[in-house]
Amino acid sequence: MRKYYPKPHFLPETCEIPSKEYVFMGYDDGATMHLDFINRLMWQAQLKGSKTWHLIPPPECEDSCSQFSFLVEPGDAVLVDTRVWYHGTQITRGQFSLSVQSEYG
Ligand SMILES: [Fe+2]
């Protein structure tokens, strides 16, 4: 996978990047609300199609944070601590979605 794209420019120079990436693809679907059980922070880049992310703050932040949603399109990148923010996605109706994800830290 790494031969198809450079290290994302938005990551700090000193961050470590594990050796695996994830590819997510789907049509008219998405991910149900969940937390990730991963070791590091993650980034995800949208390559094809669009989808809406829904984020719900962790209980410790409920008094000052609100849930929110946003649309990602090809070329957009998302950096969220998915270990503490509940998140789900919904692919835009009628579209095929393709994204790549990795961790950093
Ligand atoms: Fe996730």
Side-chain angles (χ1 to χ4, degrees), residues 34-36 82 87:
H34 66 281
L35 289 175
D36 288 341
T82 55
H87 58 286

Side-chain angles (χ1 to χ4, degrees), residues 14-53:
T14 57
C15 76
E16 295 180 12
I17 301 175
S19 60
K20 58 184 172 184
E21 283 95 353
Y22 302 91
V23 175
F24 297 105
M25 60 181 81
Y27 181 81
D28 273 355
D29 202 352
T32 57
M33 194 62 64
H34 66 281
L35 289 175
D36 288 341
F37 294 96
I38 55 179
N39 295 323
R40 305 167 194 242
L41 297 167
M42 76 89 196
W43 61 268
Q44 184 178 121
Q46 188 70 19
L47 302 177
K48 185 170 179 56
S50 62
K51 64 183 175 184
T52 301
W53 280 70

Side-chain angles (χ1 to χ4, degrees), residues 37-78:
F37 294 96
I38 55 179
N39 295 323
R40 305 167 194 242
L41 297 167
M42 76 89 196
W43 61 268
Q44 184 178 121
Q46 188 70 19
L47 302 177
K48 185 170 179 56
S50 62
K51 64 183 175 184
T52 301
W53 280 70
H54 304 283
L55 298 178
I56 298 176
E60 303 82 16
C61 183
E62 282 178 347
D63 291 341
S64 56
C65 304
S66 302
Q67 63 182 37
F68 64 101
S69 301
F70 56 92
L71 180 72
V72 293
E73 298 180 315
D76 290 339
V78 176

